[in-house]
Amino acid sequence: TGGIINPFGLAEVRVKELLRCFRKGAGSPPLNDAVGSSGLAEIPAPLVITRFESQRKFQEHCAGITAELAARQVTERELAQPYPSFTTSGFCFVCQKRSHFLSSWELAFNRGGDLEMNWREHMQCPRCRLNNRMRASIHLLIDIIAPTSDSRIYATEQSSPLFIYLHKRFPFLQGSEFVQDAALVTENNFKKLRHEDLTQLSFATHSFDAILTFDVLEHIPNYRSAFAECARTLKPGGKMLFSVPFDAKSAHNHIRAQLRKDGTIEHLAPP
């Protein structure tokens, strides 16, 4: 299992190139101003955020960075190692330390006949146990919402490494899980978890300063009701941070499954 990347190898050189590009685009100091003994930056790459007012603007942006996206794919392929699992050196924003992020070919997908790494769900830090997507969510939370230790926050998860980390930092964090089978709620594994249906939250109106829901809404058939409940339970001026998978070329949702009246799932597309 393994193969730690040679710190002087191609992969680490490509990481340095990526960091240099990100820092240049964000107007940050040159990479050489903050490097460690390995030549890698000891500070996190800046969080570059681009806001779009419409899908058209988003598509125009994507069309304008075609070469950049192609170069990024090449870099990602170079970083991937021919082992069942491997590590990549980098900086963990959550731990604020250098780390060797663990990845594997599990959840890899086919793109144009090539097997592509699922970097989004890998690159797990061995200290905080958070993968790429989770760390990016925390980075967005800190930089955009900027909650304090007194903030009332609701997260639509309660048993994940992400929730465990957030609860240590934000003592007024409230989490929950959705248990569709009511009989399971009484089992030991679920007794300590709060059960909530995002379309019918039990919280009072104007309860939270922020609501966090990551890769959850796409699993809810009545997602409009879920958004309405989040809006109801947010305080005036509160913010909602969520992530969902999306098709950049489509302006409409693709309904892949729906609930039957008896509670079973009807798949409208292959699972």
Side-chain angles (χ1 to χ4, degrees), residues 163-183:
F163 178 84
I164 293 171
Y165 166 79
L166 290 173
H167 195 257
K168 291 178 181 177
R169 183 159 183 174
F170 304 105
F172 295 105
L173 175 73
Q174 174 64 66
S176 72
E177 297 286 347
F178 175 70
V179 185
Q180 189 170 3
D181 188 346

mmCIF file with all atom_site columns, all heavy atoms in Angstrom, residues 163-183:
data_model
loop_
_atom_site.group_PDB
_atom_site.id
_atom_site.type_symbol
_atom_site.label_atom_id
_atom_site.label_alt_id
_atom_site.label_comp_id
_atom_site.label_asym_id
_atom_site.label_entity_id
_atom_site.label_seq_id
_atom_site.pdbx_PDB_ins_code
_atom_site.Cartn_x
_atom_site.Cartn_y
_atom_site.Cartn_z
_atom_site.occupancy
_atom_site.B_iso_or_equiv
_atom_site.pdbx_formal_charge
_atom_site.auth_seq_id
_atom_site.auth_comp_id
_atom_site.auth_asym_id
_atom_site.auth_atom_id
_atom_site.pdbx_PDB_model_num
ATOM 1   N N   . PHE A 1 163 ? -18.013 16.963 11.434 1.00 0.00 ? 163 PHE A N   1
ATOM 2   C CA  . PHE A 1 163 ? -18.800 17.433 12.582 1.00 0.00 ? 163 PHE A CA  1
ATOM 3   C C   . PHE A 1 163 ? -17.957 17.411 13.854 1.00 0.00 ? 163 PHE A C   1
ATOM 4   O O   . PHE A 1 163 ? -18.024 18.341 14.668 1.00 0.00 ? 163 PHE A O   1
ATOM 5   C CB  . PHE A 1 163 ? -20.046 16.573 12.773 1.00 0.00 ? 163 PHE A CB  1
ATOM 6   C CG  . PHE A 1 163 ? -20.871 16.983 13.956 1.00 0.00 ? 163 PHE A CG  1
ATOM 7   C CD1 . PHE A 1 163 ? -21.803 18.006 13.861 1.00 0.00 ? 163 PHE A CD1 1
ATOM 8   C CD2 . PHE A 1 163 ? -20.700 16.362 15.190 1.00 0.00 ? 163 PHE A CD2 1
ATOM 9   C CE1 . PHE A 1 163 ? -22.548 18.405 14.965 1.00 0.00 ? 163 PHE A CE1 1
ATOM 10  C CE2 . PHE A 1 163 ? -21.433 16.752 16.303 1.00 0.00 ? 163 PHE A CE2 1
ATOM 11  C CZ  . PHE A 1 163 ? -22.367 17.780 16.182 1.00 0.00 ? 163 PHE A CZ  1
ATOM 12  N N   . ILE A 1 164 ? -17.171 16.359 14.035 1.00 0.00 ? 164 ILE A N   1
ATOM 13  C CA  . ILE A 1 164 ? -16.340 16.243 15.236 1.00 0.00 ? 164 ILE A CA  1
ATOM 14  C C   . ILE A 1 164 ? -15.389 17.429 15.334 1.00 0.00 ? 164 ILE A C   1
ATOM 15  O O   . ILE A 1 164 ? -15.218 18.027 16.404 1.00 0.00 ? 164 ILE A O   1
ATOM 16  C CB  . ILE A 1 164 ? -15.568 14.909 15.221 1.00 0.00 ? 164 ILE A CB  1
ATOM 17  C CG1 . ILE A 1 164 ? -16.547 13.735 15.352 1.00 0.00 ? 164 ILE A CG1 1
ATOM 18  C CG2 . ILE A 1 164 ? -14.523 14.874 16.332 1.00 0.00 ? 164 ILE A CG2 1
ATOM 19  C CD1 . ILE A 1 164 ? -15.917 12.378 15.141 1.00 0.00 ? 164 ILE A CD1 1
ATOM 20  N N   . TYR A 1 165 ? -14.764 17.784 14.213 1.00 0.00 ? 165 TYR A N   1
ATOM 21  C CA  . TYR A 1 165 ? -13.858 18.936 14.213 1.00 0.00 ? 165 TYR A CA  1
ATOM 22  C C   . TYR A 1 165 ? -14.619 20.224 14.529 1.00 0.00 ? 165 TYR A C   1
ATOM 23  O O   . TYR A 1 165 ? -14.180 21.031 15.366 1.00 0.00 ? 165 TYR A O   1
ATOM 24  C CB  . TYR A 1 165 ? -13.160 19.067 12.866 1.00 0.00 ? 165 TYR A CB  1
ATOM 25  C CG  . TYR A 1 165 ? -12.482 20.413 12.709 1.00 0.00 ? 165 TYR A CG  1
ATOM 26  C CD1 . TYR A 1 165 ? -11.255 20.667 13.301 1.00 0.00 ? 165 TYR A CD1 1
ATOM 27  C CD2 . TYR A 1 165 ? -13.109 21.448 12.004 1.00 0.00 ? 165 TYR A CD2 1
ATOM 28  C CE1 . TYR A 1 165 ? -10.644 21.910 13.191 1.00 0.00 ? 165 TYR A CE1 1
ATOM 29  C CE2 . TYR A 1 165 ? -12.508 22.695 11.895 1.00 0.00 ? 165 TYR A CE2 1
ATOM 30  C CZ  . TYR A 1 165 ? -11.287 22.923 12.488 1.00 0.00 ? 165 TYR A CZ  1
ATOM 31  O OH  . TYR A 1 165 ? -10.707 24.160 12.393 1.00 0.00 ? 165 TYR A OH  1
ATOM 32  N N   . LEU A 1 166 ? -15.744 20.447 13.855 1.00 0.00 ? 166 LEU A N   1
ATOM 33  C CA  . LEU A 1 166 ? -16.495 21.692 14.041 1.00 0.00 ? 166 LEU A CA  1
ATOM 34  C C   . LEU A 1 166 ? -17.007 21.831 15.468 1.00 0.00 ? 166 LEU A C   1
ATOM 35  O O   . LEU A 1 166 ? -17.016 22.932 16.035 1.00 0.00 ? 166 LEU A O   1
ATOM 36  C CB  . LEU A 1 166 ? -17.673 21.741 13.061 1.00 0.00 ? 166 LEU A CB  1
ATOM 37  C CG  . LEU A 1 166 ? -17.320 21.924 11.583 1.00 0.00 ? 166 LEU A CG  1
ATOM 38  C CD1 . LEU A 1 166 ? -18.566 21.787 10.726 1.00 0.00 ? 166 LEU A CD1 1
ATOM 39  C CD2 . LEU A 1 166 ? -16.658 23.274 11.361 1.00 0.00 ? 166 LEU A CD2 1
ATOM 40  N N   . HIS A 1 167 ? -17.406 20.715 16.067 1.00 0.00 ? 167 HIS A N   1
ATOM 41  C CA  . HIS A 1 167 ? -17.945 20.785 17.425 1.00 0.00 ? 167 HIS A CA  1
ATOM 42  C C   . HIS A 1 167 ? -16.873 21.185 18.436 1.00 0.00 ? 167 HIS A C   1
ATOM 43  O O   . HIS A 1 167 ? -17.168 21.840 19.439 1.00 0.00 ? 167 HIS A O   1
ATOM 44  C CB  . HIS A 1 167 ? -18.566 19.446 17.812 1.00 0.00 ? 167 HIS A CB  1
ATOM 45  C CG  . HIS A 1 167 ? -19.438 19.518 19.025 1.00 0.00 ? 167 HIS A CG  1
ATOM 46  N ND1 . HIS A 1 167 ? -19.029 19.076 20.261 1.00 0.00 ? 167 HIS A ND1 1
ATOM 47  C CD2 . HIS A 1 167 ? -20.690 20.027 19.199 1.00 0.00 ? 167 HIS A CD2 1
ATOM 48  C CE1 . HIS A 1 167 ? -19.995 19.284 21.146 1.00 0.00 ? 167 HIS A CE1 1
ATOM 49  N NE2 . HIS A 1 167 ? -21.007 19.864 20.529 1.00 0.00 ? 167 HIS A NE2 1
ATOM 50  N N   . LYS A 1 168 ? -15.641 20.812 18.189 1.00 0.00 ? 168 LYS A N   1
ATOM 51  C CA  . LYS A 1 168 ? -14.549 21.213 19.080 1.00 0.00 ? 168 LYS A CA  1
ATOM 52  C C   . LYS A 1 168 ? -14.308 22.714 18.999 1.00 0.00 ? 168 LYS A C   1
ATOM 53  O O   . LYS A 1 168 ? -13.935 23.350 19.991 1.00 0.00 ? 168 LYS A O   1
ATOM 54  C CB  . LYS A 1 168 ? -13.271 20.460 18.705 1.00 0.00 ? 168 LYS A CB  1
ATOM 55  C CG  . LYS A 1 168 ? -13.318 18.964 19.010 1.00 0.00 ? 168 LYS A CG  1
ATOM 56  C CD  . LYS A 1 168 ? -12.028 18.297 18.547 1.00 0.00 ? 168 LYS A CD  1
ATOM 57  C CE  . LYS A 1 168 ? -12.055 16.802 18.820 1.00 0.00 ? 168 LYS A CE  1
ATOM 58  N NZ  . LYS A 1 168 ? -10.827 16.116 18.317 1.00 0.00 ? 168 LYS A NZ  1
ATOM 59  N N   . ARG A 1 169 ? -14.528 23.274 17.834 1.00 0.00 ? 169 ARG A N   1
ATOM 60  C CA  . ARG A 1 169 ? -14.245 24.698 17.623 1.00 0.00 ? 169 ARG A CA  1
ATOM 61  C C   . ARG A 1 169 ? -15.456 25.587 17.922 1.00 0.00 ? 169 ARG A C   1
ATOM 62  O O   . ARG A 1 169 ? -15.289 26.737 18.350 1.00 0.00 ? 169 ARG A O   1
ATOM 63  C CB  . ARG A 1 169 ? -13.792 24.907 16.183 1.00 0.00 ? 169 ARG A CB  1
ATOM 64  C CG  . ARG A 1 169 ? -13.407 26.335 15.875 1.00 0.00 ? 169 ARG A CG  1
ATOM 65  C CD  . ARG A 1 169 ? -12.517 26.421 14.665 1.00 0.00 ? 169 ARG A CD  1
ATOM 66  N NE  . ARG A 1 169 ? -12.090 27.784 14.394 1.00 0.00 ? 169 ARG A NE  1
ATOM 67  C CZ  . ARG A 1 169 ? -11.225 28.136 13.479 1.00 0.00 ? 169 ARG A CZ  1
ATOM 68  N NH1 . ARG A 1 169 ? -10.660 27.200 12.727 1.00 0.00 ? 169 ARG A NH1 1
ATOM 69  N NH2 . ARG A 1 169 ? -10.892 29.400 13.293 1.00 0.00 ? 169 ARG A NH2 1
ATOM 70  N N   . PHE A 1 170 ? -16.650 25.066 17.691 1.00 0.00 ? 170 PHE A N   1
ATOM 71  C CA  . PHE A 1 170 ? -17.868 25.853 17.885 1.00 0.00 ? 170 PHE A CA  1
ATOM 72  C C   . PHE A 1 170 ? -18.793 25.109 18.854 1.00 0.00 ? 170 PHE A C   1
ATOM 73  O O   . PHE A 1 170 ? -19.547 24.220 18.449 1.00 0.00 ? 170 PHE A O   1
ATOM 74  C CB  . PHE A 1 170 ? -18.565 26.092 16.538 1.00 0.00 ? 170 PHE A CB  1
ATOM 75  C CG  . PHE A 1 170 ? -17.682 26.760 15.519 1.00 0.00 ? 170 PHE A CG  1
ATOM 76  C CD1 . PHE A 1 170 ? -17.152 26.030 14.462 1.00 0.00 ? 170 PHE A CD1 1
ATOM 77  C CD2 . PHE A 1 170 ? -17.344 28.100 15.628 1.00 0.00 ? 170 PHE A CD2 1
ATOM 78  C CE1 . PHE A 1 170 ? -16.323 26.628 13.521 1.00 0.00 ? 170 PHE A CE1 1
ATOM 79  C CE2 . PHE A 1 170 ? -16.518 28.711 14.700 1.00 0.00 ? 170 PHE A CE2 1
ATOM 80  C CZ  . PHE A 1 170 ? -16.009 27.977 13.645 1.00 0.00 ? 170 PHE A CZ  1
ATOM 81  N N   . PRO A 1 171 ? -18.744 25.466 20.133 1.00 0.00 ? 171 PRO A N   1
ATOM 82  C CA  . PRO A 1 171 ? -19.479 24.713 21.164 1.00 0.00 ? 171 PRO A CA  1
ATOM 83  C C   . PRO A 1 171 ? -20.995 24.749 21.009 1.00 0.00 ? 171 PRO A C   1
ATOM 84  O O   . PRO A 1 171 ? -21.684 23.867 21.525 1.00 0.00 ? 171 PRO A O   1
ATOM 85  C CB  . PRO A 1 171 ? -19.044 25.398 22.462 1.00 0.00 ? 171 PRO A CB  1
ATOM 86  C CG  . PRO A 1 171 ? -18.541 26.737 22.057 1.00 0.00 ? 171 PRO A CG  1
ATOM 87  C CD  . PRO A 1 171 ? -17.944 26.563 20.701 1.00 0.00 ? 171 PRO A CD  1
ATOM 88  N N   . PHE A 1 172 ? -21.529 25.732 20.283 1.00 0.00 ? 172 PHE A N   1
ATOM 89  C CA  . PHE A 1 172 ? -22.978 25.817 20.105 1.00 0.00 ? 172 PHE A CA  1
ATOM 90  C C   . PHE A 1 172 ? -23.432 25.197 18.783 1.00 0.00 ? 172 PHE A C   1
ATOM 91  O O   . PHE A 1 172 ? -24.522 25.498 18.297 1.00 0.00 ? 172 PHE A O   1
ATOM 92  C CB  . PHE A 1 172 ? -23.439 27.271 20.201 1.00 0.00 ? 172 PHE A CB  1
ATOM 93  C CG  . PHE A 1 172 ? -23.213 27.870 21.565 1.00 0.00 ? 172 PHE A CG  1
ATOM 94  C CD1 . PHE A 1 172 ? -22.179 28.777 21.775 1.00 0.00 ? 172 PHE A CD1 1
ATOM 95  C CD2 . PHE A 1 172 ? -24.011 27.507 22.643 1.00 0.00 ? 172 PHE A CD2 1
ATOM 96  C CE1 . PHE A 1 172 ? -21.955 29.321 23.032 1.00 0.00 ? 172 PHE A CE1 1
ATOM 97  C CE2 . PHE A 1 172 ? -23.790 28.044 23.898 1.00 0.00 ? 172 PHE A CE2 1
ATOM 98  C CZ  . PHE A 1 172 ? -22.754 28.961 24.096 1.00 0.00 ? 172 PHE A CZ  1
ATOM 99  N N   . LEU A 1 173 ? -22.588 24.343 18.233 1.00 0.00 ? 173 LEU A N   1
ATOM 100 C CA  . LEU A 1 173 ? -22.947 23.632 17.016 1.00 0.00 ? 173 LEU A CA  1
ATOM 101 C C   . LEU A 1 173 ? -23.984 22.561 17.322 1.00 0.00 ? 173 LEU A C   1
ATOM 102 O O   . LEU A 1 173 ? -23.849 21.807 18.280 1.00 0.00 ? 173 LEU A O   1
ATOM 103 C CB  . LEU A 1 173 ? -21.702 22.986 16.409 1.00 0.00 ? 173 LEU A CB  1
ATOM 104 C CG  . LEU A 1 173 ? -21.920 22.088 15.192 1.00 0.00 ? 173 LEU A CG  1
ATOM 105 C CD1 . LEU A 1 173 ? -22.252 22.915 13.959 1.00 0.00 ? 173 LEU A CD1 1
ATOM 106 C CD2 . LEU A 1 173 ? -20.678 21.223 14.928 1.00 0.00 ? 173 LEU A CD2 1
ATOM 107 N N   . GLN A 1 174 ? -25.017 22.486 16.492 1.00 0.00 ? 174 GLN A N   1
ATOM 108 C CA  . GLN A 1 174 ? -26.032 21.435 16.600 1.00 0.00 ? 174 GLN A CA  1
ATOM 109 C C   . GLN A 1 174 ? -26.004 20.610 15.323 1.00 0.00 ? 174 GLN A C   1
ATOM 110 O O   . GLN A 1 174 ? -26.039 21.164 14.221 1.00 0.00 ? 174 GLN A O   1
ATOM 111 C CB  . GLN A 1 174 ? -27.424 22.040 16.778 1.00 0.00 ? 174 GLN A CB  1
ATOM 112 C CG  . GLN A 1 174 ? -28.558 21.032 16.761 1.00 0.00 ? 174 GLN A CG  1
ATOM 113 C CD  . GLN A 1 174 ? -28.487 20.058 17.930 1.00 0.00 ? 174 GLN A CD  1
ATOM 114 O OE1 . GLN A 1 174 ? -28.645 20.448 19.081 1.00 0.00 ? 174 GLN A OE1 1
ATOM 115 N NE2 . GLN A 1 174 ? -28.254 18.791 17.644 1.00 0.00 ? 174 GLN A NE2 1
ATOM 116 N N   . GLY A 1 175 ? -25.914 19.302 15.471 1.00 0.00 ? 175 GLY A N   1
ATOM 117 C CA  . GLY A 1 175 ? -25.905 18.427 14.305 1.00 0.00 ? 175 GLY A CA  1
ATOM 118 C C   . GLY A 1 175 ? -27.072 17.469 14.329 1.00 0.00 ? 175 GLY A C   1
ATOM 119 O O   . GLY A 1 175 ? -27.787 17.338 15.332 1.00 0.00 ? 175 GLY A O   1
ATOM 120 N N   . SER A 1 176 ? -27.281 16.788 13.230 1.00 0.00 ? 176 SER A N   1
ATOM 121 C CA  . SER A 1 176 ? -28.339 15.778 13.161 1.00 0.00 ? 176 SER A CA  1
ATOM 122 C C   . SER A 1 176 ? -28.045 14.821 12.016 1.00 0.00 ? 176 SER A C   1
ATOM 123 O O   . SER A 1 176 ? -27.222 15.105 11.142 1.00 0.00 ? 176 SER A O   1
ATOM 124 C CB  . SER A 1 176 ? -29.710 16.430 12.951 1.00 0.00 ? 176 SER A CB  1
ATOM 125 O OG  . SER A 1 176 ? -29.836 16.944 11.630 1.00 0.00 ? 176 SER A OG  1
ATOM 126 N N   . GLU A 1 177 ? -28.715 13.697 12.041 1.00 0.00 ? 177 GLU A N   1
ATOM 127 C CA  . GLU A 1 177 ? -28.694 12.732 10.950 1.00 0.00 ? 177 GLU A CA  1
ATOM 128 C C   . GLU A 1 177 ? -30.140 12.418 10.567 1.00 0.00 ? 177 GLU A C   1
ATOM 129 O O   . GLU A 1 177 ? -31.053 12.634 11.367 1.00 0.00 ? 177 GLU A O   1
ATOM 130 C CB  . GLU A 1 177 ? -27.971 11.442 11.358 1.00 0.00 ? 177 GLU A CB  1
ATOM 131 C CG  . GLU A 1 177 ? -26.503 11.603 11.706 1.00 0.00 ? 177 GLU A CG  1
ATOM 132 C CD  . GLU A 1 177 ? -25.626 11.814 10.482 1.00 0.00 ? 177 GLU A CD  1
ATOM 133 O OE1 . GLU A 1 177 ? -26.121 11.596 9.347  1.00 0.00 ? 177 GLU A OE1 1
ATOM 134 O OE2 . GLU A 1 177 ? -24.448 12.195 10.655 1.00 0.00 ? 177 GLU A OE2 1
ATOM 135 N N   . PHE A 1 178 ? -30.324 11.924 9.349  1.00 0.00 ? 178 PHE A N   1
ATOM 136 C CA  . PHE A 1 178 ? -31.657 11.524 8.924  1.00 0.00 ? 178 PHE A CA  1
ATOM 137 C C   . PHE A 1 178 ? -31.728 10.007 8.935  1.00 0.00 ? 178 PHE A C   1
ATOM 138 O O   . PHE A 1 178 ? -30.982 9.327  8.226  1.00 0.00 ? 178 PHE A O   1
ATOM 139 C CB  . PHE A 1 178 ? -31.962 12.043 7.518  1.00 0.00 ? 178 PHE A CB  1
ATOM 140 C CG  . PHE A 1 178 ? -33.289 11.563 6.978  1.00 0.00 ? 178 PHE A CG  1
ATOM 141 C CD1 . PHE A 1 178 ? -34.476 12.039 7.517  1.00 0.00 ? 178 PHE A CD1 1
ATOM 142 C CD2 . PHE A 1 178 ? -33.340 10.641 5.949  1.00 0.00 ? 178 PHE A CD2 1
ATOM 143 C CE1 . PHE A 1 178 ? -35.695 11.603 7.031  1.00 0.00 ? 178 PHE A CE1 1
ATOM 144 C CE2 . PHE A 1 178 ? -34.555 10.194 5.453  1.00 0.00 ? 178 PHE A CE2 1
ATOM 145 C CZ  . PHE A 1 178 ? -35.734 10.683 5.996  1.00 0.00 ? 178 PHE A CZ  1
ATOM 146 N N   . VAL A 1 179 ? -32.595 9.450  9.768  1.00 0.00 ? 179 VAL A N   1
ATOM 147 C CA  . VAL A 1 179 ? -32.786 8.005  9.873  1.00 0.00 ? 179 VAL A CA  1
ATOM 148 C C   . VAL A 1 179 ? -34.169 7.696  9.330  1.00 0.00 ? 179 VAL A C   1
ATOM 149 O O   . VAL A 1 179 ? -35.177 7.967  9.975  1.00 0.00 ? 179 VAL A O   1
ATOM 150 C CB  . VAL A 1 179 ? -32.652 7.520  11.329 1.00 0.00 ? 179 VAL A CB  1
ATOM 151 C CG1 . VAL A 1 179 ? -32.738 6.002  11.386 1.00 0.00 ? 179 VAL A CG1 1
ATOM 152 C CG2 . VAL A 1 179 ? -31.344 7.999  11.929 1.00 0.00 ? 179 VAL A CG2 1
ATOM 153 N N   . GLN A 1 180 ? -34.211 7.155  8.120  1.00 0.00 ? 180 GLN A N   1
ATOM 154 C CA  . GLN A 1 180 ? -35.505 6.932  7.462  1.00 0.00 ? 180 GLN A CA  1
ATOM 155 C C   . GLN A 1 180 ? -36.328 5.856  8.153  1.00 0.00 ? 180 GLN A C   1
ATOM 156 O O   . GLN A 1 180 ? -37.541 5.963  8.261  1.00 0.00 ? 180 GLN A O   1
ATOM 157 C CB  . GLN A 1 180 ? -35.292 6.555  6.003  1.00 0.00 ? 180 GLN A CB  1
ATOM 158 C CG  . GLN A 1 180 ? -36.583 6.523  5.188  1.00 0.00 ? 180 GLN A CG  1
ATOM 159 C CD  . GLN A 1 180 ? -36.302 6.391  3.705  1.00 0.00 ? 180 GLN A CD  1
ATOM 160 O OE1 . GLN A 1 180 ? -35.157 6.269  3.279  1.00 0.00 ? 180 GLN A OE1 1
ATOM 161 N NE2 . GLN A 1 180 ? -37.339 6.440  2.895  1.00 0.00 ? 180 GLN A NE2 1
ATOM 162 N N   . ASP A 1 181 ? -35.643 4.830  8.678  1.00 0.00 ? 181 ASP A N   1
ATOM 163 C CA  . ASP A 1 181 ? -36.333 3.751  9.375  1.00 0.00 ? 181 ASP A CA  1
ATOM 164 C C   . ASP A 1 181 ? -36.474 4.130  10.845 1.00 0.00 ? 181 ASP A C   1
ATOM 165 O O   . ASP A 1 181 ? -35.502 4.127  11.599 1.00 0.00 ? 181 ASP A O   1
ATOM 166 C CB  . ASP A 1 181 ? -35.547 2.453  9.227  1.00 0.00 ? 181 ASP A CB  1
ATOM 167 C CG  . ASP A 1 181 ? -36.309 1.239  9.771  1.00 0.00 ? 181 ASP A CG  1
ATOM 168 O OD1 . ASP A 1 181 ? -37.311 1.446  10.488 1.00 0.00 ? 181 ASP A OD1 1
ATOM 169 O OD2 . ASP A 1 181 ? -35.889 0.102  9.491  1.00 0.00 ? 181 ASP A OD2 1
ATOM 170 N N   . ALA A 1 182 ? -37.680 4.476  11.277 1.00 0.00 ? 182 ALA A N   1
ATOM 171 C CA  . ALA A 1 182 ? -37.910 4.921  12.652 1.00 0.00 ? 182 ALA A CA  1
ATOM 172 C C   . ALA A 1 182 ? -37.493 3.877  13.677 1.00 0.00 ? 182 ALA A C   1
ATOM 173 O O   . ALA A 1 182 ? -37.096 4.210  14.802 1.00 0.00 ? 182 ALA A O   1
ATOM 174 C CB  . ALA A 1 182 ? -39.389 5.268  12.841 1.00 0.00 ? 182 ALA A CB  1
ATOM 175 N N   . ALA A 1 183 ? -37.553 2.598  13.314 1.00 0.00 ? 183 ALA A N   1
ATOM 176 C CA  . ALA A 1 183 ? -37.192 1.538  14.259 1.00 0.00 ? 183 ALA A CA  1
ATOM 177 C C   . ALA A 1 183 ? -35.718 1.598  14.631 1.00 0.00 ? 183 ALA A C   1
ATOM 178 O O   . ALA A 1 183 ? -35.323 1.188  15.728 1.00 0.00 ? 183 ALA A O   1
ATOM 179 C CB  . ALA A 1 183 ? -37.528 0.177  13.657 1.00 0.00 ? 183 ALA A CB  1
#
